[in-house]
Amino acid sequence: MQPTKEKIKGIKYELSFEIPVDVFETKLSEQLAEFAKNHEEKGFRKGHVPMDVIRSKYEGHFIGDVINNLINETLVSYCEEKKVNPAVAPQVKVDSFVRNEPLKFSADFEIIPEIKDIDFAKISVEKKVAKAGDKEIDEAIQNIANSRYVFEEIKDNRKTKKGDVVDINFVGSVDGVEFEGGKADNYPLELGSGAFIPGFEDQLIGKSKGDDVDVNVEFPEDYGHEKLAGAKALFKVKINAIKEKKVPAIDDKLAVELKRKDLADLKQYVKELLEKNYETASKNLMKDEVLDKLADEKFDVPESLVNQEVEFMFAQYKQTNPNEKMDEKAEAKKKDELKKQATSRVKLGLILADIGKKNEVKIEQNEIQNAIMQEAMRYPNQAQQVFEFYSKNTQALEGIKAGIFEDKVLDVVLSKVKTKEKEVSASDLMKVGK
């Protein structure tokens, strides 16, 4: 069906249509006939209610659906004929509906713009290359050793210092009265950890095993227990034992504990891991550079998509700043600030979607599962909840898919652009990659 009005300006379409009376009436009759097949009415058998009864009692219930269906069918047919895709659902207005007269409606929308083929050979990006030297390997292994520390009780009479773990008994009181939760025996406390009230741990430094120490502290004003907030307290503390942190030696024994043959094998393994990390960091920098260059492509960006992205970004901002009070003017200002970034996001999204389509980029089910598995590994104690979250949250799952798609498309782009290698130090590469 041809529009009675067709105004096209760039990617913006303003259309008007008239649907003939006979088309509307035919569609309405079809809907009523379908309804009548299984309808029961007192005095009639199922499916045998006369059509004039059906019309008189139920016709009004179907008119709205028929109007909506005809409008949708008309717009879909128009877009298919013109080979265009609306960026968002068209804004539709019923201009006139009177029985036995044509149904008149108008529709305004923006289309997904046609993006010209990009000459990737003209795009050049820098590939930063870093090698893992002895310094980086030794530091990495030292960090591994540090993470495998144990606390051993000291046998000599040295005094406590920051970093020690003291086994203590303590009883807390305010104005001579013990308070709930202020008493424990054989409590392990790392001095300098900040686990206790400010000033508590400091007063246990420089003490010896067996010492009885009076620890005077003042609870913070914002302390969670209302009766103790801002109160001065005395803790009677007994030091039962002192333990110090012991880091394992970097030798063949440590390597074997880490499932490697010997220290040399561990060093080679760590070298490979580091350089794999450097390769990933370098690739991510290349992807960022490619995205910056793709953003220079010129085409009309649908304002409707930009507005949607602004609203999404603003909702995220509000979620991360729940205590910030904003009036209508402040909200408008913030949304205006977000518009440039939102436009860039939409633009890049359209470009990547176009490249993905032209290069037949597909997302496999195992890639989705692997991505969810990696996400679950970030929360080892809540892995099951992570899996359930993605199985029930369609929007979150679409976010996972979008990330996979973007990575695969950028891999395609990187395989086509020119790359120029530049040797950099590992520290410089990782610093830039942060």
Side-chain angles (χ1 to χ4, degrees):
M1 181 180 298
Q2 295 303 309
T4 55
K5 171 192 167 186
E6 185 179 44
K7 183 180 177 183
I8 302 173
K9 187 176 181 181
I11 60 172
K12 294 184 177 181
Y13 281 58
E14 294 179 17
L15 308 172
S16 293
F17 291 89
E18 286 189 11
I19 297 176
V21 173
D22 62 328
V23 173
F24 174 83
E25 294 298 339
T26 298
K27 183 68 71 173
L28 179 58
S29 295
E30 289 173 356
Q31 290 262 27
L32 291 170
E34 189 65 29
F35 171 73
K37 285 180 182 178
N38 297 301
H39 183 63
E40 292 185 61
E41 191 81 22
K42 188 175 181 179
F44 301 98
R45 287 183 295 133
K46 181 179 178 180
H48 288 76
V49 182
M51 188 52 67
D52 59 339
V53 174
I54 295 288
R55 280 188 178 278
S56 65
K57 294 187 70 172
Y58 302 106
E59 186 178 77
H61 297 292
F62 289 90
I63 287 176
D65 285 343
V66 171
I67 290 173
N68 288 334
N69 290 338
L70 284 171
I71 288 173
N72 289 335
E73 289 171 10
T74 302
L75 290 175
V76 168
S77 176
Y78 174 87
C79 290
E80 287 176 349
E81 183 181 334
K82 296 290 185 178
K83 294 182 171 58
V84 296
N85 293 312
V88 299
Q91 294 289 318
V92 175
K93 177 187 173 187
V94 175
D95 299 312
S96 174
F97 174 70
V98 178
R99 292 299 291 272
N100 299 317
E101 291 184 16
L103 164 63
K104 298 178 182 180
F105 75 92
S106 54
D108 299 343
F109 58 90
E110 294 174 298
I111 64 167
I112 299 294
E114 185 176 350
I115 300 171
K116 65 180 181 180
D117 290 340
I118 298 170
D119 188 353
F120 295 112
K122 291 183 178 179
I123 297 177
S124 178
V125 295
E126 184 177 79
K127 181 179 181 180
K128 293 178 170 61
V129 180
K131 300 295 181 185
D134 291 341
K135 178 186 175 186
E136 288 78 28
I137 295 169
D138 290 343
E139 284 180 353
I141 294 176
Q142 185 63 61
N143 288 336
I144 294 171
N146 291 344
S147 71
R148 297 174 71 83
Y149 67 85
V150 294
F151 282 104
E152 293 182 356
E153 186 172 348
I154 62 171
K155 301 302 181 183
D156 57 23
N157 292 320
R158 80 158 175 82
K159 296 185 182 298
T160 57
K161 64 179 192 242
K162 190 174 182 179
D164 286 342
V165 167
V166 289
D167 181 296
I168 58 174
N169 300 340
F170 62 85
V171 178
S173 61
V174 174
D175 296 330
V177 180
E178 293 184 21
F179 54 85
E180 186 180 352
K183 182 178 181 179
D185 289 337
N186 301 114
Y187 188 95
L189 174 64
E190 183 178 350
L191 301 181
S193 66
F196 271 28
I197 306 161
F200 188 104
E201 294 165 25
D202 293 341
Q203 295 176 58
L204 296 181
I205 293 175
K207 306 302 179 183
S208 301
K209 178 181 176 179
D211 282 354
D212 291 303
V213 185
D214 285 350
V215 174
N216 291 283
V217 293
E218 186 173 332
F219 283 94
E221 293 290 343
D222 59 352
Y223 192 68
H225 196 302
E226 186 178 347
K227 291 183 178 179
L228 296 177
K232 292 181 179 179
L234 168 65
F235 284 86
K236 293 283 188 179
V237 180
K238 174 79 171 181
I239 299 178
N240 303 316
I242 304 170
K243 299 178 182 180
E244 63 181 347
K245 187 181 290 186
K246 291 289 185 181
V247 175
I250 296 174
D251 53 19
D252 289 343
K253 181 183 176 183
L254 175 64
V256 171
E257 288 177 357
L258 294 168
K259 313 298 183 187
R260 310 314 300 179
K261 242 183 351 180
D262 51 28
L263 185 57
D265 184 36
L266 177 61
K267 287 187 175 183
Q268 180 60 34
Y269 176 70
V270 169
K271 181 178 189 294
E272 291 170 2
L273 282 181
L274 287 173
E275 292 187 346
K276 187 176 180 181
N277 288 340
Y278 299 160
E279 180 72 22
T280 299
S282 177
K283 191 173 183 180
N284 287 337
L285 289 173
M286 291 168 67
K287 287 181 177 180
D288 288 342
E289 189 176 352
V290 161
L291 286 171
D292 287 341
K293 293 187 175 182
L294 290 177
D296 291 334
E297 292 293 315
K298 305 294 183 186
F299 59 86
D300 291 333
V301 179
E303 190 71 16
S304 50
L305 288 179
V306 172
N307 291 338
Q308 277 189 356
E309 187 65 21
V310 166
E311 293 298 330
F312 174 74
M313 292 171 68
F314 181 72
Q316 285 186 316
Y317 178 82
K318 291 286 285 181
Q319 191 173 9
T320 53
N321 299 275
N323 297 323
E324 184 176 348
K325 304 299 180 185
M326 302 178 80
D327 58 18
E328 193 173 316
K329 186 177 180 181
E331 285 191 8
K333 183 181 178 183
K334 186 63 186 177
K335 289 179 180 180
D336 192 54
E337 291 171 1
L338 293 171
K339 194 163 187 177
K340 183 177 180 181
Q341 186 183 355
T343 302
S344 179
R345 282 191 185 185
V346 170
K347 189 176 187 181
L348 286 171
L350 292 171
I351 292 172
L352 294 176
D354 185 69
I355 295 171
K357 182 179 179 181
K358 289 173 179 174
N359 288 273
E360 299 181 345
V361 173
K362 307 290 183 188
I363 301 174
E364 305 298 335
Q365 188 61 36
N366 68 303
E367 291 173 325
I368 299 171
Q369 292 171 344
N370 288 340
I372 295 174
M373 181 71 74
Q374 287 186 356
E375 189 68 16
M377 288 172 66
R378 294 175 56 199
Y379 309 95
N381 297 324
Q382 297 175 295
Q384 187 59 39
Q385 291 95 315
V386 172
F387 288 119
E388 289 177 1
F389 173 74
Y390 284 106
S391 68
K392 296 175 181 177
N393 193 316
T394 304
Q395 188 174 359
L397 187 61
E398 288 303 315
I400 287 277
K401 291 180 182 178
I404 297 169
F405 181 79
E406 179 176 312
D407 281 341
K408 294 186 76 170
V409 171
L410 287 173
D411 284 340
V412 170
V413 175
L414 288 179
S415 71
K416 297 175 181 288
V417 301
K418 292 179 181 177
T419 57
K420 183 180 179 181
E421 291 191 355
K422 178 185 178 182
E423 285 195 21
V424 296
S425 68
S427 59
D428 286 346
L429 171 61
M430 301 310 286
K431 192 186 301 178
V432 174
K434 286 182 180 178

